[in-house]
Every structure is written in C-alpha cells, then in structure tokens.
Amino acid sequence: MGHKCFISFKSQDMSYKKYIQDNLDIDMIDKSLNEPIYSNDEDYIMKKIREDYLSDSTVTICLIGTYSSEDSFLDQTYIKRELQASLYNGKNNSRNGILGVVLPEMYSKIYQGKYICSICGKEHNYVSINNTTTIREFNYNYYLPKSSDKCCWNEDDRYCVLIKWDEFCSDPEKYIEQAFQKRNSPTASKVKVYPD
C-alpha cells in the first residue's frame, strides 16, 4: 500500500523532484512552503504548515543535495520548517516518517568509506550526516543520542532513514515503507522537532 509523500527540496534540486513526479509511481503532495507564516506561536505555525502544505502525508522525502545543509550560505527557513512540521507530533496530527535521499553529487561527501572502531575493533561505515551535509533537523534525528555502552549507531538508533538516489529510484516503495514504519518505533519517542 502506498503512502502519501511530501517532498522537501531546495529549488536548485528541482530536476530530481520533477524526476520523482514524472517517473516514479509515488502518491505525492505537490506543494512547497514558500510563503512565510507570520506568528510567534510555534504550535500554530506547525498546525498551519501541516494543514496547508503537508495535509494527509505520512512520509516526508528530503532531497539531500549540495545546497541543503545547515552550514549553507542559502536561507534554509523553508526546508527547516517543512521538516519541523513533518516531525511535529501534536493535537490531531501525527509525525511523518522521514526519508533522506542522498543526491549523486553528495555521495562522496556523505558516504566516506569504512573505519576500524577503536572501541569494538570491528569495521563500521563512516556516514557523514552533520551540519555540513544536512539541516540540523535531519542530522539530529538521524544520529539520535545513543546509550554510552554503544560504539556506533544501528538502524534501531535512528529515526530518519537514509538512502542513495539510485537505490531509492530502483525501489521507492521499499524505502518509503521503511520510513513510515519508524513512526511507531521506539526511536520515535526520542525525536526532537527543534534540535539545539
């Protein structure tokens, strides 16, 4: 069964969003937040974004490209708001699953090989998800705080799901479903809508 998806992206990555729209069989909401909502009431802002933009979506697909990091010189207000509203769990609203799709130009910046762990001696993947590659709302909820007895994160320690563009295009429903399932996982209780 398909889930209704909202796509959060920077305008520079419009061609990828268009590819998803034209070539992949995904039930999506074709709206983007590009008008400011004037209010100091965070609950009201989140409610408005959910109602007017995310409507009945259950998964938010974040396109992770060259221009979508916290440290970018571009204004990230809209993609941050879209992700905050997606993570928000409020009255008459449940949070979305979050699926980060890494665009090809970001593969080498994010997937940086393997390393031998100094704690357990095993090999781990080095996945660079931080303020230089994504907005804070994504990277905090990807690398949720883990217990001190663990040397690395596994899939159960993350709320956000991460996948390369090519893999996503080959089986989008599989990864959308994976993100959807996170909504009822134990990690959902650790989500932060406004990470420090």
Side-chain angles (χ1 to χ4, degrees):
M1 180 193 148
H3 301 294
K4 197 175 277 283
C5 297
F6 176 84
I7 301 181
S8 180
F9 66 100
K10 294 299 286 183
S11 57
Q12 291 83 351
D13 298 321
M14 173 63 90
S15 61
Y16 291 101
K17 186 250 186 187
K18 192 153 178 32
Y19 181 88
I20 292 170
Q21 198 170 17
D22 296 345
N23 299 288
L24 303 180
D25 186 22
I26 293 174
D27 186 8
M28 60 180 272
I29 294 168
D30 191 21
K31 290 183 181 178
S32 294
L33 175 62
N34 47 24
E35 292 291 322
I37 296 168
Y38 299 104
S39 173
N40 292 324
D41 180 347
E42 287 297 332
D43 285 343
Y44 172 76
I45 293 170
M46 292 300 109
K47 182 174 177 284
K48 281 301 284 172
I49 294 172
R50 295 278 330 174
E51 286 174 0
D52 297 352
Y53 298 94
L54 278 75
S55 105
D56 55 347
S57 69
T58 55
V59 173
T60 296
I61 298 171
C62 304
L63 299 184
I64 300 172
T66 312
Y67 301 98
S68 52
S69 73
E70 188 75 23
D71 294 346
S72 172
F73 62 91
L74 297 172
D75 178 16
Q76 304 299 38
T77 302
Y78 297 123
I79 61 170
K80 288 175 81 61
R81 283 288 191 200
E82 289 166 353
L83 208 52
Q84 288 164 358
S86 297
L87 292 164
Y88 188 72
N89 219 21
K91 190 178 176 193
N92 301 325
N93 169 71
S94 59
R95 74 174 47 94
N96 280 10
I98 307 294
L99 176 58
V101 177
V102 180
L103 302 182
E105 66 268 17
M106 289 296 285
Y107 285 4
S108 63
K109 287 185 179 131
I110 289 178
Y111 299 101
Q112 297 189 359
K114 298 182 180 294
Y115 67 95
I116 302 296
C117 179
S118 61
I119 298 167
C120 73
K122 293 181 182 164
E123 194 174 66
H124 299 306
N125 292 318
Y126 183 68
V127 181
S128 181
I129 293 294
N130 52 41
N131 287 352
T132 65
T133 56
T134 63
I135 55 171
R136 184 78 180 123
E137 287 75 4
F138 187 90
N139 63 57
Y140 178 90
N141 292 296
Y142 182 75
Y143 283 129
L144 287 164
K146 61 180 173 47
S147 59
S148 58
D149 62 332
K150 285 187 160 188
C151 61
C152 67
W153 284 261
N154 64 36
E155 203 48 52
D156 295 335
D157 301 317
R158 302 183 180 107
Y159 184 73
C160 297
V161 173
L162 191 72
I163 193 68
K164 288 179 178 174
W165 170 257
D166 300 331
E167 293 173 60
F168 171 71
C169 290
S170 69
D171 193 356
E173 278 303 323
K174 173 183 175 183
Y175 302 106
I176 290 168
E177 180 63 30
Q178 202 177 332
F180 179 81
Q181 292 301 325
K182 291 279 189 175
R183 300 164 77 222
N184 296 315
S185 70
T187 54
S189 65
K190 299 178 184 174
V191 163
K192 258 195 188 177
V193 177
Y194 311 107
D196 310 335

